Amino acid sequence: DAPAGRFETYSAAAGRTNAILGEHFAPLLDRLRATLEPVLGGPVRHDPRLALPGFHVFLADPAFTRPVADVHYDLQFEHLDWSPHDPIEPRRQLSMTLAIRLPHAGAGLRVWDIDRRHLDTLSADERSAHMQRNHTAKVHDYRTGELALHSGYLLHQIEPARGYREDDERITLQAHAMPAGDGWIL
């Protein structure tokens, strides 16, 4: 992810990792783009200054049965230089996960009905009351080979593992898409 105010450093690192990802995963990334275009209703392209979609790789570890992942919004786009793509539509940005391999007991994403865009319109008291009313997350199960799309503005967390087996693996392709002009930047 790009740290605030350090886009050039991020972009240089992305160039190095993009070369590796492109060499080894070009067919998968091409298939992702081709799958997204009819769903999103426009061309999907990549800006070489930005990181390609990457992977979360979790091998078996009993620690993953606990909620060790951060509860967060996907707001990484706020630290990127979008000037070549003006106008962008940040309120419509998407986050996505393609499950490649899942643990035997399954895996998913915890999602709270707390949308950052809505919170920004509330007073402090209203925000607190809204968060109290929506403090329970729903779990959305992943299925191997299926692409899950959601707004990165929804509060979410990687669901803890539902059990532990030494041969479990949780491998997902992670991506974000920003609407820009007549299409989307992946």
Side-chain angles (χ1 to χ4, degrees):
D1 295 336
R6 302 202 35 220
F7 179 76
E8 292 76 20
T9 303
Y10 156 85
S11 187
R16 291 187 298 275
T17 59
N18 286 351
I20 296 165
L21 289 167
E23 178 182 344
H24 296 284
F25 299 104
L28 175 61
L29 297 172
D30 289 342
R31 188 169 176 189
L32 175 64
R33 277 193 293 276
T35 299
L36 287 170
E37 286 182 347
V39 172
L40 300 179
V44 175
R45 58 194 185 279
H46 177 252
D47 177 338
R49 302 171 314 122
L50 306 179
L52 283 167
F55 296 89
H56 282 171
V57 178
F58 301 136
L59 302 179
D61 191 309
F64 294 130
T65 62
R66 298 185 302 277
V68 295
D70 290 337
V71 176
H72 65 282
Y73 303 101
D74 290 337
L75 303 175
Q76 301 91 327
F77 68 88
E78 293 178 344
H79 303 297
L80 300 180
D81 174 15
W82 294 103
S83 59
H85 307 290
D86 282 338
I88 62 167
E89 298 178 61
R91 294 183 64 81
R92 291 182 48 222
Q93 67 101 13
L94 293 173
S95 295
M96 56 199 78
T97 299
L98 173 64
I100 296 171
R101 185 160 305 176
L102 297 175
H104 292 84
L109 186 68
R110 287 182 173 177
V111 180
W112 285 263
D113 190 16
I114 299 174
D115 187 314
R116 173 71 180 268
R117 296 165 296 190
H118 177 67
L119 286 182
D120 290 344
T121 68
L122 303 176
S123 70
D125 289 342
E126 291 170 328
R127 190 175 313 124
S128 179
H130 178 73
M131 293 183 79
Q132 283 296 327
R133 282 191 309 274
N134 296 289
H135 73 278
T136 303
K138 293 179 181 151
V139 174
H140 297 271
D141 288 337
Y142 292 140
R143 289 181 182 79
T144 302
E146 290 187 8
L147 183 64
L149 299 173
H150 70 90
S151 164
Y153 286 104
L154 292 174
L155 191 63
H156 61 280
Q157 176 189 39
I158 295 171
E159 180 193 22
R162 300 170 186 167
Y164 172 73
R165 283 182 36 172
E166 288 190 15
D167 60 338
D168 275 342
E169 296 175 321
R170 184 185 187 280
I171 302 172
T172 59
L173 178 69
Q174 302 295 141
H176 303 279
M178 177 65 72
D182 66 345
W184 294 74
I185 306 299
L186 187 62

